[in-house]
Amino acid sequence: MRQGKLAVLFASAVLAAGIMAGCGSGQQETGTASVPEETAAEGTETEEEMDLAEMDTAVQTETEEENYNTGDASLDDPRNGDGIGETELLAVSFGTSYNDSRRLTIGAVEEAMEEAFPDYSVRRAFTSQIIIDHIKSRDGVAIDNVREALDRAADNGVKNLVIQPTHLMNGLEYTDLVNEAAEYADAFEKIAVGEPLLTSEEDFQAVMKAVTDATAEYDDGETAICLMGHGTEAESNQVYARMQETLANAGFDNYFVGTVEAEPALEDVLEAVQAGAYKRAVLMPLMVVAGDHANNDMAGDEEDSWKTAFENAGYEVVCLVKGLGELEAVQQLFVEHAQAAADSLEL
């Protein structure tokens, strides 16, 4: 790891949750902090690391067997240009090989950042190398990984760098991003990393409003609205229970939150819905992008999909294959997090 000679500033979630615990739980305090030289133990594999490995394995299977059209890749801007200038905003996402969803979610978030930060060059990086390689092989489009994006920024003479992840939660992947940025402490004068989507109580309230506004036309008293997250065996999985609690406390008793890979599972959500007098189920991903999980695990026709399970239980099913990144309110929340990180630089 490079020795940090210059100030590296990070927004609150890094200090309060990302660095110390590797996962987030409650509301975070505000402020900035210097980054220590090491922020995670080396040589250990946490539950979330294994979960991320499983995600990449699923992506690998998908790319080997892909026989469907995910949209025109040429309509999406990979934002990997040089000539950046002295101030950059780097948007970091896990990534998706679904071209249309990438443009409508990650691309839309990046466009919102460009509009909000006219003096910044907005660039993109993905954390999943398998997705990067697949897009390059299939579509001939090059997307930087985090290290490539940081090297590009350094080579272009960037002095002030804001990194805004589009991660849903403050978990291992977010901590890995903080660690990787810390290795470049001597490459820039100042660096700030923004918070993930669901960090503070205000974030949960804002995302709840965005989701309930987007599904308001289905909220007729006879419809259960089910939100499908990815899920992880790590402690950060508690964001789903917290979102369920946020919805319940606001009176949205017909909204149910579940996950693909953890708890609450599909069976838990279906059981909760069956306890009510619902005739219809609306399914929507609680994910920034609508990729493989949304298209197949949620809306697919396979026996183990959410759609099939609810149909077999006798419900009329409506699938909204739409990532959170398509919602303007979510885009603006990411902008607000990036603004807080930029403000910490005191430019």
Side-chain angles (χ1 to χ4, degrees):
M1 179 178 295
R2 303 179 184 180
Q3 299 299 313
K5 300 178 180 178
L6 301 177
V8 184
L9 301 177
F10 288 80
S12 60
V14 179
L15 176 65
I19 293 175
M20 299 299 182
C23 54
S25 55
Q27 184 172 351
Q28 308 300 334
E29 298 178 357
T30 58
T32 60
S34 298
V35 175
E37 292 183 3
E38 294 188 11
T39 59
E42 296 181 0
T44 61
E45 184 177 41
T46 66
E47 288 177 326
E48 190 168 342
E49 280 180 300
M50 291 185 282
D51 185 53
L52 289 171
E54 290 172 1
M55 288 172 66
D56 271 344
T57 299
V59 172
Q60 182 69 64
T61 301
E62 169 199 336
T63 60
E64 290 174 351
E65 300 177 356
E66 183 174 296
N67 59 359
Y68 46 85
N69 183 11
T70 68
D72 187 350
S74 68
L75 299 177
D76 177 53
D77 183 356
R79 290 181 173 82
N80 60 356
D82 294 315
I84 298 170
E86 295 186 352
T87 307
E88 176 184 346
L89 199 167
L90 177 62
V92 177
S93 307
F94 178 81
T96 179
S97 62
Y98 280 70
N99 293 328
D100 282 346
S101 183
R102 185 169 68 253
R103 172 174 53 85
L104 294 172
T105 56
I106 294 170
V109 170
E110 293 164 347
E111 287 175 1
M113 291 180 182
E114 286 180 330
E115 184 175 347
F117 295 89
D119 296 329
Y120 284 67
S121 293
V122 176
R123 295 293 184 265
R124 170 189 293 177
F126 283 178
T127 60
S128 172
Q129 190 62 47
I130 289 177
I131 288 176
I132 291 171
D133 292 344
H134 179 50
I135 295 171
K136 177 66 174 177
S137 174
R138 183 191 65 190
D139 303 313
V141 175
I143 296 175
D144 288 344
N145 61 33
V146 175
R147 191 164 296 277
E148 289 169 339
L150 291 172
D151 285 338
R152 185 186 300 278
D155 293 343
N156 276 266
V158 170
K159 294 181 179 179
N160 303 295
L161 177 64
V162 173
I163 302 174
Q164 179 55 53
T166 67
H167 304 337
L168 185 76
M169 66 183 71
N170 192 333
L172 180 82
E173 191 177 359
Y174 181 67
T175 305
D176 285 346
L177 174 61
V178 173
N179 290 343
E180 199 156 16
E183 294 180 23
Y184 284 75
D186 61 350
F188 310 101
E189 291 185 6
K190 294 179 180 179
I191 305 176
V193 177
E195 298 172 333
L197 184 64
L198 293 174
T199 303
S200 68
E201 177 60 28
E202 291 76 14
D203 295 339
F204 279 85
Q205 294 291 333
V207 172
M208 176 189 69
K209 186 176 188 308
V211 169
T212 54
D213 285 351
T215 54
E217 64 182 286
Y218 303 102
D219 191 0
D220 57 6
E222 296 184 340
T223 301
I225 301 172
C226 305
L227 308 175
M228 186 193 77
H230 180 272
T232 172
E233 294 304 317
E235 186 181 350
S236 51
N237 192 73
Q238 62 189 297
V239 299
Y240 301 107
R242 187 174 174 188
M243 179 56 71
Q244 182 71 75
E245 181 181 5
T246 301
L247 287 159
N249 289 342
F252 293 103
D253 296 327
N254 59 323
Y255 281 73
F256 303 88
V257 179
T259 69
V260 180
E261 301 289 350
E263 294 181 351
L266 167 59
E267 294 78 12
D268 301 316
V269 175
L270 186 56
E271 181 179 354
V273 171
Q274 288 175 321
Y278 302 108
K279 299 179 180 179
R280 178 169 63 168
V282 170
L283 310 180
M284 178 178 174
L286 189 64
M287 304 176 182
V288 174
V289 303
D292 184 63
H293 284 307
N295 282 274
N296 295 308
D297 294 310
M298 188 190 81
D301 293 323
E302 295 79 6
E303 279 189 22
D304 58 350
S305 75
W306 283 40
K307 174 176 176 283
T308 300
F310 275 92
E311 286 178 340
N312 289 343
Y315 294 98
E316 174 192 348
V317 177
V318 176
C319 294
L320 304 179
V321 186
K322 183 176 186 177
L324 295 177
E326 292 191 44
L327 306 180
E328 185 177 353
V330 170
Q331 297 163 16
Q332 291 306 309
L333 187 54
F334 278 125
V335 168
E336 290 175 14
H337 287 189
Q339 185 64 62
D343 290 345
S344 75
L345 296 179
E346 298 178 350
L347 299 182

